[in-house]
């Protein structure tokens, strides 16, 4: 596998690093504390072309690839994990399925402005009883002539409170299981699209999510993504890409925690020397750096496979599983290195510790990733 980055990929990574250092890192603590969606910073990220990094330029994107996208999400998440997931959802879970499964009319309306970053998208798969068991969809779409009448509930919808459109999944035939699931793309100002209040969460507090009710939502048939019954495969293959974004987000959070712990260890003294001179701390730093490098290699491999048009279900699951668990171990050690200060709201490391936790849950829990991997191994 080629792991040398191209000039273009390096340039994007460095641009994102500089942007994160200047615009995100100094403000992330405040946004977290205020539970505030940083619309202005997200807007600036979109101006850099981060709305649709891997979307071809003729459809409004930056025309780059998934490797570049993963590098960008890592850098952005190192600055602010909430902005990282906002971008990841728009790129991976909204633009990607519209690009892959939409027709030209749909792409004109729901890809161009979203990949350009003029609008923002979300992804409606999760329901109160359909989290890990995504096939348990209860939202129904009943065909009435040239329209569908949609009723149901989606929850934990990242970007939901601010999104202009949603890629959503419904049951068009309850008797057919996964083959009865159908996808649509719908504007959020459609009558019958009802958002609830923004969720209160442990971490990624500047990334808004909410419950959405569909109350007799009328959706014209031309807004269907793919054929009736294609929805589950659209959702699963979309998540194969999404998990690369979450793996990259986890690495970014882990790197922020690691770098802060490394710098703190050089300053903080115990027993007359900086704690970085104690082997206990040195070994922790060595393990943290090694795990993050390993996570990045897995993530870039999955991204490169996606770019080559290869099935990457197993590789994305491995990257997401390893990167998210590594980020949590790294954030835990980083907090420990900070000692009592790590437990204080004064330091950023407590935020990284909280932000890392969700990466083991959304876009498939660690347990689901292990299922996906073992299913592939035992085929
Ligand atoms: N690509 C294409 N097709 C796929 C696929 C993939 N990755 N995975 C499964 N399929 C197909 C299968 O081939 C099968 O097709 P056939 O019937 O034609 O053979 C069909 O889909 C059903 O597959 P399974 O029997 O494997 O399905 P399952 O019901 O056992 O579920 C699962 C599989 C992996 C557990 C799945 O339910 C899953 O991934 N759950 C986790 C859901 C998840 O990740 N949710 C995230 C929500 S979004 C989010 O979190 C966003 C956010 O906030 C940031």
């Amino acid at each position: 596998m080629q792991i040398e980055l191209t000039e273009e990929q390096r340039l994007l990574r460095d641009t994102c690093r500089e942007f994160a250092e200047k615009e995100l890192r100094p403000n992330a603590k405040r946004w977290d504390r205020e539970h505030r969606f940083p619309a202005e910073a997200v807007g600036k990220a979109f101006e850099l072309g981060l709305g649709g990094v891997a979307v071809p330029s003729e459809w409004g994107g930056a025309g780059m690839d998934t490797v570049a996208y993963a590098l960008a999400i890592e850098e952005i998440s190192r600055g602010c994990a909430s902005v990282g997931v906002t971008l990841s959802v728009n790129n991976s879970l909204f633009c990607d399925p519209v690009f892959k499964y939409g027709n030209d009319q749909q792409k004109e309306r729901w890809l161009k402005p979203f990949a350009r970053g003029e609008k923002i998208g979300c992804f409606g798969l999760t329901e109160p009883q359909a989290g890990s068991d995504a096939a348990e969809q209860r939202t129904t779409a009943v065909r009435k002539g040239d329209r569908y009448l949609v009723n149901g509930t989606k929850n934990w919808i990242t970007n939901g409170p601010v999104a202009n459109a949603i890629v959503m999944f419904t049951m068009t035939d309850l008797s057919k299981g996964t083959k009865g699931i159908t996808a649509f793309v719908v504007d959020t100002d459609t009558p019958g699209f009802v958002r609830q209040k923004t969720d209160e969460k442990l971490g990624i507090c500047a990334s808004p999510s909410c419950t959405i009710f569909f109350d007799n939502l009328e959706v014209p048939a031309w807004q269907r993504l793919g054929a009736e019954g294609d929805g589950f495969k659209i959702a699963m293959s979309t998540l194969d890409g999404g998990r690369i974004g979450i793996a990259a987000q986890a690495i970014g959070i882990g790197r922020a925690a690691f770098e802060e712990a490394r710098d703190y260890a050089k300053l903080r003294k115990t027993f007359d020397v900086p704690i970085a001179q104690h082997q206990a701390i040195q070994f922790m730093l060595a393990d943290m750096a090694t795990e993050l490098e390993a996570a990045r290699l897995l993530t870039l491999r999955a991204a490169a496979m996606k770019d080559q048009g290869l099935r990457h279900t197993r590789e994305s699951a491995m990257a997401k599983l390893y990167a998210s668990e590594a980020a949590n171990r790294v954030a835990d050690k980083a907090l420990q290195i900070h000692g009592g200060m790590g437990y204080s709201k004064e330091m950023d490391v407590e935020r990284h510790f909280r932000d890392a936790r969700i990466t083991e849950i959304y876009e498939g829990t660690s347990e689901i990733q292990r299922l996906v991997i073992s299913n592939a191994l035992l085929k």
Side-chain angles (χ1 to χ4, degrees), residues 85 88-89 93 101 123 125-126 130-135 156-158 178-179 232-240 243 246 311 313 361-365 368-369 371-372 375 379:
V85 72
S88 179
V89 167
L93 301 188
Y101 301 103
F123 181 79
L125 177 67
T126 303
S132 288
D133 190 359
W156 299 119
I157 304 306
T158 303
T178 55
K179 290 189 172 48
F232 196 70
K233 288 188 184 178
I234 294 176
M236 291 299 114
S237 61
T238 297
L239 286 167
D240 288 345
R243 289 167 184 163
I246 300 307
R311 176 91 184 238
T313 303
I361 298 171
Y362 59 19
E363 299 206 26
T365 59
I368 289 297
Q369 307 311 323
L371 258 183
V372 171
N375 282 346
K379 242 186 206 156

Side-chain angles (χ1 to χ4, degrees), residues 202-240:
L202 172 74
I204 55 162
C205 296
S207 154
S209 66
C210 68
T211 293
I212 295 167
F213 296 133
F214 306 126
D215 181 12
N216 286 324
L217 179 85
E218 276 191 38
V219 183
W222 75 272
Q223 293 183 211
R224 198 181 60 223
L225 215 48
E228 273 195 15
D230 284 353
F232 196 70
K233 288 188 184 178
I234 294 176
M236 291 299 114
S237 61
T238 297
L239 286 167
D240 288 345

